[in-house]
Amino acid sequence: MIPKLFQIGPIPVYSYGLMLGISFIVASYLLSKEFKRKKMDENVAVNITFLALIGGVVGAKLLYIIEEWSYITSLSSNKLFSTEGLFSAQGLTFYGGFILATVMVYFYVRAKKIPFLRICDTAAPSLAIGYGIARIGCHLSGDGDYGLPVSEFASWVPWGTDYSNGTLPPSAAFRGSEIAQRFGGSVPDNVLCHPTPVYEFILGVIMFSILWYYRKKFKIDGKLFFLYLILSGIARLMVEYIRLNPKIIFGLSEAQLISIILIIIGIYFYFFNPFPQTVNNTEKIKSGAKKK
């Protein structure tokens, strides 16, 4: 793992930060490309990207604070505002960022009098590929998002990964867990683990390919976004089974519960769209022009 890639003078360049930046650049480019195709104001795409960046980072950090409230409140003021506390590289939770960014974008496009679901459709492919690219940053930094030791699940895979040089090595990531007990109390840092961030990158590319293909085929606003909710929810639900996260209820983690909710919402609105009035006007105008 390579948490720190290089240093420019006194400024260190970290792998996670770099990949997160690249993910937003790629997502912003694709979003602007879609805005241009739909003959929408490309400046709005830039503003949405900025809001998504702010909302994504802040929301991800807020959900992390909620999840780790007992730990955060136990820190001294010096540690709280350090890399051990609020500025920890591990302190980002995707769904927190996704939810807050969605809310911020909703109020922005509402003020601009732009159909919210149309914006969601336009952003769906960008969300899929952006998430996948950012996960490569998690992989390179070794920040604890990796999966179970391969000896615990699918031991036959040849791509088990050594995360001993990561920012959160296995001895710390699995501390106090049943898996640690099976290793005699502590998981060795050099144990080979499932590279779940790489799995999520691959799933992100697959989701992007599907959404990119269907983006011109769906005529009703929202349908592409609801398909994204279904696909991304299923992907996260599956990956969580080979990742060590606290179980909340029914043997499911917080991320899995949120994923199930998103899958249900996606399926319902995909098949039973209650917004027939949001048919893409651009398509209707083009059809009308052809008839003339």
Side-chain angles (χ1 to χ4, degrees):
M1 296 303 100
I2 318 172
K4 181 179 175 181
L5 294 175
F6 52 87
Q7 189 156 329
I8 303 175
I11 304 173
V13 177
Y14 295 101
S15 53
Y16 179 76
L18 179 63
M19 296 309 298
L20 184 63
I22 291 174
S23 72
F24 272 98
I25 291 172
V26 172
S28 179
Y29 169 76
L30 292 172
L31 185 63
S32 296
K33 188 179 179 70
E34 279 297 277
F35 263 71
K36 184 176 182 179
R37 181 181 70 84
K38 293 185 176 183
K39 295 179 170 49
M40 300 167 69
D41 186 356
E42 293 179 58
N43 291 323
V44 173
V46 175
N47 293 336
I48 287 175
T49 302
F50 177 75
L51 288 173
L53 174 61
I54 301 300
V57 173
V58 174
K61 180 62 69 174
L62 285 175
L63 185 54
Y64 166 76
I65 292 173
I66 293 171
E67 292 174 338
E68 304 293 336
W69 183 252
S70 59
Y71 168 72
I72 292 295
T73 54
S74 69
L75 296 175
S76 64
S77 58
N78 290 334
K79 289 187 176 181
L80 180 63
F81 296 99
S82 70
T83 53
E84 294 183 42
L86 296 179
F87 298 104
S88 167
Q90 293 86 40
L92 293 173
T93 306
F94 169 72
Y95 277 135
F98 176 73
I99 293 169
L100 182 58
T102 301
V103 171
M104 292 175 65
V105 170
Y106 170 77
F107 283 108
Y108 171 72
V109 300
R110 184 178 180 183
K112 289 286 186 179
K113 301 186 186 314
I114 304 172
F116 176 64
L117 289 178
R118 187 167 303 165
I119 296 297
C120 290
D121 282 347
T122 308
S126 301
L127 285 171
I129 195 63
Y131 176 78
I133 294 172
R135 279 309 192 190
I136 293 298
C138 296
H139 174 69
L140 293 175
S141 67
D143 60 5
D145 279 338
Y146 44 84
L148 303 175
V150 293
S151 60
E152 297 294 313
F153 176 80
S155 58
W156 46 268
V157 301
W159 53 73
T161 305
D162 183 345
Y163 287 95
S164 58
N165 294 325
T167 57
L168 192 69
S171 62
F174 297 107
R175 184 179 295 131
S177 67
E178 292 182 5
I179 292 175
Q181 293 176 7
R182 288 197 285 272
F183 277 87
S186 178
V187 177
D189 283 337
N190 63 350
V191 70
L192 299 180
C193 298
H194 281 280
T196 49
V198 177
Y199 299 168
E200 289 182 286
F201 167 72
I202 295 171
L203 290 170
V205 172
I206 293 172
M207 286 190 293
F208 168 77
S209 301
I210 294 171
L211 295 169
W212 195 254
Y213 173 78
Y214 280 107
R215 77 192 196 284
K216 294 181 180 179
K217 296 184 178 297
F218 294 156
K219 307 304 180 185
I220 298 177
D221 289 339
K223 193 155 189 172
L224 191 70
F225 178 68
F226 294 131
L227 177 60
Y228 163 76
L229 291 184
I230 297 169
L231 295 175
S232 62
I234 292 173
R236 187 63 184 269
L237 182 67
M238 292 168 51
V239 169
E240 283 290 305
Y241 279 113
I242 52 174
R243 180 183 284 149
L244 183 66
N245 276 323
K247 307 305 179 185
I248 305 298
I249 188 174
F250 303 128
L252 300 172
S253 68
E254 176 189 88
Q256 287 178 309
L257 292 173
I258 296 175
S259 295
I260 290 172
I261 292 172
L262 294 181
I263 291 170
I264 293 172
I265 292 173
I267 290 175
Y268 177 79
F269 287 113
Y270 182 87
F271 290 104
F272 308 102
N273 189 348
F275 310 113
Q277 71 277 13
T278 59
V279 174
N280 192 313
N281 292 326
T282 302
E283 297 296 333
K284 291 175 72 177
I285 291 172
K286 286 182 179 178
S287 299
K290 289 179 181 178
K291 289 178 182 178
K292 291 179 181 179

